[in-house]
Amino acid sequence: MHHDTVTLDSQAKTLFEQYKDQALTNKQRLAVPVQEMPAQDPDVRRDNMEEVALGYTEAQVLIESIRCLQCANAPCVAGCPVRIDIPRFIAKAALGDFAGSIGVIKEASMLPSVCGRVCPQETQCQQTCTVGRVHKDIDKAVSIGRIERFVADWEASQGKRSVPEVGQSTGKKVGVVGSGPASMTAAADLRRAGHEVVMFEALHKCGGVLVYGIPEFRLPKRIVQEEIDTLVSMGVKIEQNFLVGRTATIDELMTRDGFDALFIGSGAGLPNFLNIPGENLVGVFSANEYLTRSNLMRAYDKAKAGTPLFDSKRVLVFGGGNVAMDAARTAVRLGAEEVSIVYRRTATEMPARREEVAHAHEEGVLFKYLHAPKEIIGNEKGKVEGVRIVLCQLGEPDASGRRSPVEIPGSDIVLACDTVIVAIGNSSNPLIEKTTKGLQVDRKGHIVVDEDTCATSIPGVYAGGDIVLGSATVILAMGQGRKAAKAMNEYLSDREHRGGSAS
Ligand code: FAD
Ligand code: SF4
Ligand code: SF4
């Protein structure tokens, strides 16, 4: 962590000195300025994969924490999908009790160093923060995520990361499919209850989207690896390169291999395409492929790359979510000269986190709003050389509540490029659905579960995360992993009392 980049605002410093001895009034707290996140210089970070946001200094976290009004009704808590006791963890941080603060967070969340970095706070906990409301400016809400990140990183920096206690062995064997945030959370909670837990991951590395999707410059891989190491220390067994549905089916695991229950957290890894002409040309990538190559095969590291780099000069990225921002900012780092986001609506409707959009702007990414791609144009060698675009205007709100793009007839233009990255969302991979008799899915291929327990249509089989919700968020996936594990623990103990067999 870099402590040398910050000069404290003198007014905030004075207030902090006062706080140590006496209670501050709300008026005084509201006068404390938001602490900005120190970040790598945009001109420097364009050329490296290191983390962009550097984390608060200790002085900053103390000051940001005294901005919290400790509201009795704490509206921020309702905005957090796992209901972290936000005022309580911030009150401890404000007193410099970082160990106490992280303890409060860990009562509800297993991955605070991840969520502090990647949660879309402006639509979750910080959206409802009273301070932001009083200032009528969401950017002035208490920076809950940044404080959370600080105390989680502080714990890691102390070298005494706690390993959750594991209960007495129950003799039950539970399988967890996938190793993303849903499965990591479920595995921890199931193991804590004393079951034998085996995690099956299709890839050679665990962590799900946290390792192969979200780039290093936003979420360092070592943080995810530490969480996986914690699971291993708890006794969770990990089977990598194990594709459930092919290496073994759900049915085989349950009947032949003696699993008493299974959790499916296989995510939404199948990229969507626009189905426009030219999507099979050389130079067209799904964001998944592009980011996976960069993340897992070190395509960004020219000296050590396990896969050749695609040498791009002008890149167009279709989409306006986090995935599109990650792909565009990765392309910048891979050396592209011009990278543009092509989005059918405007900045207001864009679903990406505000911070990522701001960082993309700073790094020189261009934004082409109200642009709808219609056709990818190739040259005689089958390589991309441009995209035909129709310009749009905003119409009435659609089912998502966002105003929909309406194409303007005859407004076609062609944008030149040599690379197209399609980042318009993901669907679930149908392998498990196709190989599991009796597993109920909806028309989009999402597994249908009981809202309260995450139980699927097959007894003993539970599911959660993106495979149920569609492309969602890390914290929602975690929340489902936790909910499912609780129900699975109850299911397994019920069976024990009723004398159900373990195989
Ligand atoms: P995943 O993380 O997708 O993990 C599923 C795992 O299951 C994978 O490792 C996969 O290999 C494995 N698997 C799949 N099928 C099988 C099988 N048959 N057998 C064995 N293993 C299997 N969310 C945020 O909150 N903030 C962000 O900033 C953010 N940015 C994102 C950026 C990108 C590029 C992407 C792609 C997503 C982003 N998300 C973000 C969304 C978030 O990452 C997901 O919602 C979350 O990871 C879903 O967790 P999960 O556990 O359900 O699945
Ligand atoms: Fe906010 Fe996410 Fe932390 Fe909840 S887990 S308090 S939503 S940053
Ligand atoms: Fe603090 Fe904002 Fe939550 Fe109120 S709403 S307790 S000010 S973080």
Side-chain angles (χ1 to χ4, degrees):
M1 213 173 291
H2 298 233
H3 286 261
D4 51 350
T5 44
V6 183
T7 45
L8 293 182
D9 180 277
S10 62
Q11 185 197 10
K13 199 172 179 183
T14 314
L15 279 169
F16 178 64
E17 288 303 319
Q18 287 171 8
Y19 182 75
K20 284 196 293 194
D21 306 318
Q22 63 176 59
L24 289 177
T25 63
N26 278 356
K27 201 171 160 201
Q28 284 172 308
R29 287 174 194 271
L30 286 166
V32 179
V34 181
Q35 295 300 296
E36 292 307 330
M37 177 64 107
Q40 270 198 74
D41 186 297
D43 288 338
V44 175
R45 70 186 194 234
R46 280 175 60 98
D47 290 326
N48 69 52
M49 281 284 168
E50 281 152 39
E51 195 170 15
V52 169
L54 299 172
Y56 274 166
T57 64
E58 193 167 318
Q60 279 186 299
V61 91
L62 294 170
I63 293 168
E64 187 63 27
S65 301
I66 61 172
R67 298 185 62 239
C68 171
L69 306 177
Q70 295 291 313
C71 315
N73 59 346
C76 50
V77 176
C80 168
V82 296
R83 305 281 184 269
I84 291 177
D85 189 340
I86 294 168
R88 195 153 61 93
F89 96 71
I90 294 185
K92 289 189 185 296
L95 293 171
D97 176 9
F98 303 136
S101 180
I102 188 67
V104 173
I105 297 173
K106 285 200 162 174
E107 287 167 12
S109 166
M110 199 204 140
L111 302 171
S113 43
V114 174
C115 296
R117 285 172 166 82
V118 305
C119 267
Q121 286 99 4
E122 67 272 15
T123 57
Q124 294 183 336
C125 52
Q126 290 173 203
Q127 185 183 38
T128 45
C129 170
T130 313
V131 175
R133 292 198 170 184
V134 171
H135 287 299
K136 296 194 174 61
D137 182 355
I138 180 89
D139 291 335
K140 292 201 171 138
V142 176
S143 306
I144 302 166
R146 293 170 179 177
I147 303 173
E148 181 172 329
R149 167 187 165 152
F150 175 89
V151 291
D153 287 355
W154 174 88
E155 188 194 37
S157 74
Q158 301 301 296
K160 45 184 179 198
R161 179 176 280 271
S162 50
V163 175
E165 226 171 280
V166 172
Q168 227 183 345
S169 170
T170 60
K172 304 278 187 209
K173 191 160 99 167
V174 185
V176 170
V177 182
S179 63
S183 300
M184 284 161 79
T185 310
D189 285 1
L190 289 160
R191 182 70 193 129
R192 253 198 282 236
H195 311 306
E196 181 187 341
V197 178
V198 185
M199 181 177 255
F200 299 105
E201 169 54 52
L203 296 175
H204 64 280
K205 222 169 167 54
C206 285
V209 167
L210 306 184
V211 292
Y212 70 73
I214 304 181
E216 176 79 16
F217 57 80
R218 216 149 65 76
L219 179 62
K221 307 291 159 236
R222 71 177 156 75
I223 291 173
V224 186
Q225 190 54 47
E226 278 165 16
E227 300 300 343
I228 299 289
D229 291 347
T230 304
L231 290 178
V232 173
S233 308
M234 290 169 72
V236 172
K237 293 183 193 132
I238 296 184
E239 297 261 10
Q240 282 158 340
N241 301 310
F242 194 113
L243 183 61
V244 173
R246 190 150 304 145
T247 320
T249 62
I250 295 284
D251 189 43
E252 284 164 349
L253 291 171
M254 289 293 275
T255 54
R256 184 192 68 190
D257 300 338
F259 283 88
D260 295 288
L262 288 176
F263 172 79
I264 306 175
S266 51
L270 193 71
N272 295 341
F273 283 91
L274 281 169
N275 295 323
I276 57 174
E279 277 182 312
N280 54 359
L281 289 166
V282 177
V284 181
F285 297 87
S286 70
N288 263 34
E289 182 192 348
Y290 194 78
L291 289 168
T292 305
R293 274 200 196 201
S294 170
N295 282 322
L296 288 186
M297 300 177 195
R298 302 176 68 95
Y300 55 84
D301 186 342
K302 290 182 192 179
K304 298 182 191 141
T307 183
L309 289 174
F310 190 82
D311 209 3
S312 306
K313 300 237 170 334
R314 298 185 83 175
V315 181
L316 296 184
V317 181
F318 299 169
N322 287 320
V323 184
M325 297 309 131
D326 284 345
R329 297 174 67 202
T330 298
V332 167
R333 284 158 175 78
L334 292 181
E337 286 163 14
E338 188 184 293
V339 181
S340 306
I341 292 278
V342 172
Y343 184 53
R344 293 185 311 156
R345 308 183 206 225
T346 70
T348 318
E349 292 79 29
M350 223 160 38
R353 292 180 78 227
R354 284 158 79 91
E355 191 174 76
E356 311 318 330
V357 177
H359 282 160
H361 272 291
E362 288 169 11
E363 289 162 13
V365 173
L366 305 173
F367 286 74
K368 300 195 184 297
Y369 295 119
L370 296 167
H371 279 48
K374 287 283 141 191
E375 178 188 359
I376 304 173
I377 302 161
N379 63 16
E380 66 290 348
K381 291 187 185 137
K383 290 187 176 166
V384 174
E385 62 175 17
V387 175
R388 185 168 65 80
I389 304 273
V390 172
L391 302 182
C392 301
Q393 57 194 11
L394 285 183
E396 293 302 311
D398 64 10
S400 72
R402 293 175 302 166
R403 292 182 66 190
S404 21
V406 179
E407 292 177 7
I408 305 170
S411 65
D412 299 38
I413 55 169
V414 172
L415 297 180
C417 65
D418 52 39
T419 308
V420 167
I421 305 174
V422 185
I424 57 155
N426 288 324
S427 303
S428 41
N429 189 309
L431 179 64
I432 292 182
E433 170 204 337
K434 289 228 160 79
T435 55
T436 313
K437 226 169 119 201
L439 184 68
Q440 201 190 335
V441 298
D442 68 13
R443 69 186 167 80
K444 288 187 169 165
H446 302 148
I447 298 179
V448 176
V449 297
D450 179 293
E451 211 176 296
D452 298 325
T453 62
C454 288
T456 70
S457 50
I458 301 177
V461 179
Y462 295 73
D466 280 5
I467 186 67
V468 168
L469 301 168
S471 303
T473 62
V474 171
I475 191 73
L476 284 169
M478 265 184 56
Q480 284 213 314
R482 173 144 288 174
K483 194 192 279 183
K486 182 166 176 281
M488 290 167 84
N489 287 333
E490 281 161 13
Y491 167 83
L492 292 168
S493 93
D494 259 13
R495 269 163 57 103
E496 188 153 289
H497 294 136
R498 282 190 280 110
S501 89
S503 58

